[in-house]
């Protein structure tokens, strides 16, 4: 059902992705209720209504049903049952069934493999016994906990069976997957929107650099050839189609030589899509509002080239606690500063980002210059 402005939309999750959804929704004249147990959550602070409760709190879910026309999420660990419960009464995109697949790495990899989507080699470890028959050539690998990992958390590099057993113990023998370490030439991602009637629009491919498993920076459009661009875009569309997904999603890819692998799927807007706020006609958050309200999807293309750098708590905490020198960002007139309103800067915590815009292709010298500014904060 098409939902027109002034109506109330619900956002499950109050992080920075939720915050920019609220801003897009407000821009278009919608109201937003945010559900997040954290009283200080970045999205909750700017929402029309902040329900400060757990994601499976029955009263909160009933309040959403009573007051909102539609609900979406910004966080893959939202209980799928909460989304499905809401769906009985109001419009919900994405639905709990697609979120359930991607919130568990075992289900996610199995889904990709069953749909013949290229993925790297992996082995499922449900219990210690599953380690005995692991092929030796999966080492060196990365052990990843199946659920609740993010930003490189819940991951451990392992180079032999004994270090794997140790790491599995460290993860309290919870279900995991072991992935063979891929030698990466590039990492890219595709953020797309799929409407309820099956139309798909992709933002330009983003090229991502991770440091310590956390996204450091994104160049968009990615510096890749046309064939690679087409291949990753087609694969991302295939993932959305096979999941019967409605809403905004991101697909992360590894490029290794001539091979392309899907790394993982996010059932929500994505950090690597932050550049779309400044550089695209319709941002990933605008698209989330549009798909949720069953309005036509906007134009996902870029009108500028962009380079986005994440601001982690490191900028406040290292080498010793200090307030970053924001003037250094502001002096660059093409640098847009985003801070998420988080009180406590911790090393590795995403506190904000900056997006540099240019009419010209952004080359490595320019990237180095921008990184230097960020490091000097
Ligand atoms: N199998 C792998 N081979 C090489 N690098 C990997 C592999 N798995 C993860 N990484 C690196 O770690 C980063 C984070 O891993 P990912 O599985 O995407 O977890 P998260 O959910 O934390 O984003 C990846 O973007 C990549 O840089
Ligand atoms: Mg990832």
């Amino acid at each position: 059902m098409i939902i027109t402005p002034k109506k109330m939309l619900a956002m499950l999750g109050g992080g920075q992705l939720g915050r920019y959804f609220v801003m897009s929704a407000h821009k278009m004249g919608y109201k937003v209720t945010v559900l997040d147990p954290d009283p200080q959550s970045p999205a909750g602070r700017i929402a029309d209504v902040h329900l400060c409760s757990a994601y499976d709190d029955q009263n909160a879910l009933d309040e959403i049903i009573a007051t909102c026309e539609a609900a979406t999420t910004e966080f893959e660990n939202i209980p799928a049952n909460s989304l499905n419960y809401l769906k009985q009464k109001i419009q919900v995109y994405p639905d709990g069934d697609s979120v359930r697949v991607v919130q568990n790495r075992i289900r996610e990899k199995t889904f990709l493999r069953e749909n013949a989507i290229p993925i790297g080699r992996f082995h499922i470890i449900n219990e210690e016994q599953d380690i005995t028959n692991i092929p030796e050539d999966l080492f060196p690998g990365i052990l990843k906990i199946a659920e609740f990992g993010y930003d490189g958390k819940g991951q451990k590099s392992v180079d032999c069976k004994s270090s794997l057993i140790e790491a599995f113990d460290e993860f309290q023998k919870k279900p995991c997957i072991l992935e063979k370490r891929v030698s990466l030439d590039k990492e890219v991602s595709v953020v797309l929107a799929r409407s309820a009637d099956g139309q798909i629009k992709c933002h330009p491919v983003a090229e991502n650099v991770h440091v310590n498993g956390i996204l450091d920076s994104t160049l968009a459009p990615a510096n890749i050839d046309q064939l690679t661009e087409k291949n990753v875009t087609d694969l991302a569309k295939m993932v959305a189609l096979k999941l019967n997904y409605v809403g905004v999603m991101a697909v992360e890819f590894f490029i290794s030589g001539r091979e392309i692998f899907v790394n993982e799927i996010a059932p929500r807007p994505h950090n690597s899509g932050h550049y779309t706020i400044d550089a695209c006609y319709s941002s990933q958050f605008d698209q989330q509002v549009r798909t949720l309200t069953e309005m036509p999807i906007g134009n996902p293309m870029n009108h500028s080239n962009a380079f986005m750098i994440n601001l982690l708590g490191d900028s406040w905490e290292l080498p010793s606690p200090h307030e970053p020198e924001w003037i250094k960002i502001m002096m660059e007139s093409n640098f847009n500063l985003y801070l998420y309103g988080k009180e406590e800067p911790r090393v590795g915590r995403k506190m904000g980002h900056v997006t540099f815009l240019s009419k010209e292709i952004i080359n490595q010298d320019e990237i180095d210059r921008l990184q230097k500014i960020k490091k000097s904060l």
Side-chain angles (χ1 to χ4, degrees):
M1 186 181 71
I2 290 182
I3 297 167
T4 50
K6 292 193 190 163
K7 302 271 170 44
M8 183 83 88
L9 309 173
M11 167 51 76
L12 277 60
Q16 57 270 21
L17 298 170
R19 182 178 177 94
Y20 294 106
F21 171 87
V22 172
M23 289 185 184
S24 280
H26 280 169
K27 181 171 78 179
M28 296 179 220
Y30 294 95
K31 298 188 185 76
V32 184
T33 294
V34 164
L35 173 62
D36 190 304
D38 176 5
Q40 309 281 336
S41 78
R45 285 166 169 247
I46 62 165
D48 298 274
V49 176
H50 179 187
L51 297 173
C52 213
S53 310
Y55 297 124
D56 55 357
D57 183 282
Q58 191 66 38
N59 289 332
L61 296 174
D62 287 335
E63 176 79 18
I64 287 174
I65 288 171
T67 56
C68 301
E69 308 291 316
T72 187
T73 176
E74 53 109 46
F75 176 49
E76 57 257 51
N77 292 321
I78 292 292
N81 287 343
S82 295
L83 294 171
N84 283 339
Y85 179 77
L86 294 174
K87 200 185 164 188
Q88 294 170 355
K89 295 284 163 62
I90 59 173
Q91 197 154 295
V92 177
Y93 298 127
D95 66 18
D97 295 342
S98 16
V99 173
R100 195 191 304 277
V101 172
V102 300
Q103 64 189 192
N104 175 299
R105 292 189 191 273
I106 298 172
R107 284 197 289 268
E108 183 180 44
K109 293 271 187 222
T110 308
F111 157 80
L112 291 166
R113 182 164 60 189
E114 280 170 358
N115 286 288
I117 290 165
I119 46 177
R121 290 189 52 212
F122 70 100
H123 189 89
I124 295 171
I125 304 172
N126 279 308
E127 50 185 24
E128 197 153 352
Q129 215 178 321
D130 297 328
I131 295 180
T132 43
N133 57 343
I134 281 183
E136 277 301 324
D137 63 351
L138 278 184
F139 296 105
I142 302 173
L143 185 70
K144 299 184 181 178
I145 201 155
E147 288 185 341
F148 298 114
Y150 70 99
D151 286 349
K153 294 187 182 70
Q155 300 197 9
K156 195 118 193 122
S157 288
V158 290
D159 51 16
C160 61
K161 244 179 217 175
S162 64
S163 63
L164 172 59
I165 291 168
E166 244 170 63
F168 187 59
D169 274 351
E170 215 173 285
F171 291 159
Q172 286 147 11
K173 300 191 188 340
K174 290 192 181 132
C176 285
I177 57 164
L178 174 69
E179 287 183 20
K180 187 176 170 65
R181 183 174 279 283
V182 175
S183 105
L184 299 175
D185 292 319
K186 262 187 208 296
E187 289 192 73
V188 300
S189 55
V190 176
V191 177
L192 63 79
R194 184 165 183 264
S195 62
D197 62 7
Q199 199 191 5
I200 300 180
K201 287 190 180 175
C202 301
H203 289 292
V205 179
E207 179 173 339
N208 305 316
V209 172
H210 291 81
V211 177
N212 300 326
I214 307 177
L215 184 68
D216 174 77
S217 55
T218 295
L219 174 70
N223 182 14
I224 51 177
D225 59 55
Q226 273 185 349
L227 183 63
T228 308
E229 183 192 344
K230 182 176 180 338
N231 286 343
V232 293
T233 306
D234 285 350
L235 283 169
K237 287 180 182 167
M238 178 71 79
V239 169
L241 189 72
K242 296 287 184 187
L243 266 181
N244 202 14
Y245 191 90
V246 178
V248 171
M249 72 183 290
V251 183
E252 297 177 16
F253 295 89
F254 292 153
I255 299 179
S256 176
R258 299 167 72 89
E259 287 186 296
I260 294 171
F261 302 118
V262 169
N263 170 30
E264 60 171 358
I265 305 164
R268 49 169 174 79
H270 195 257
N271 192 171
S272 69
H274 282 352
Y275 83 88
T276 64
I277 299 174
D278 308 85
C280 296
Y281 292 94
S282 191
S283 77
Q284 59 173 350
F285 303 103
D286 295 342
Q287 304 289 50
Q288 192 178 21
V289 175
R290 286 165 174 265
T291 49
L292 179 60
T293 56
E294 293 192 2
M295 287 289 190
I297 322 181
N299 178 355
M301 294 319 294
N302 63 311
H303 46 69
S304 296
N305 300 303
F307 185 67
M308 188 254 2
I309 314 179
N310 268 339
L311 298 174
L312 303 182
D314 308 36
S315 295
W316 282 251
E317 291 300 298
L318 301 179
S320 58
H322 66 285
E323 185 63 23
E325 291 178 60
W326 298 120
I327 189 106
K328 292 179 175 169
I329 300 283
M330 298 304 190
M331 267 159 56
E332 283 288 326
S333 54
N334 286 9
F335 237 156
N336 288 337
L337 173 66
Y338 292 83
L339 292 175
Y340 306 148
K342 296 181 183 177
E343 293 297 342
E344 208 191 316
R346 289 190 299 270
V347 170
R349 187 181 197 200
K350 290 175 179 170
M351 300 295 293
H353 68 270
V354 281
T355 305
F356 179 81
L357 297 174
S358 177
K359 279 275 162 233
E360 317 298 326
I361 301 280
I362 301 172
N363 61 26
Q364 193 58 47
D365 286 349
E366 190 72 336
I367 289 173
D368 292 345
R369 191 179 73 80
L370 298 169
Q371 285 283 18
K372 216 163 138 189
I373 296 174
K374 183 223 134 178
K375 290 203 175 86
S376 76
L377 290 176

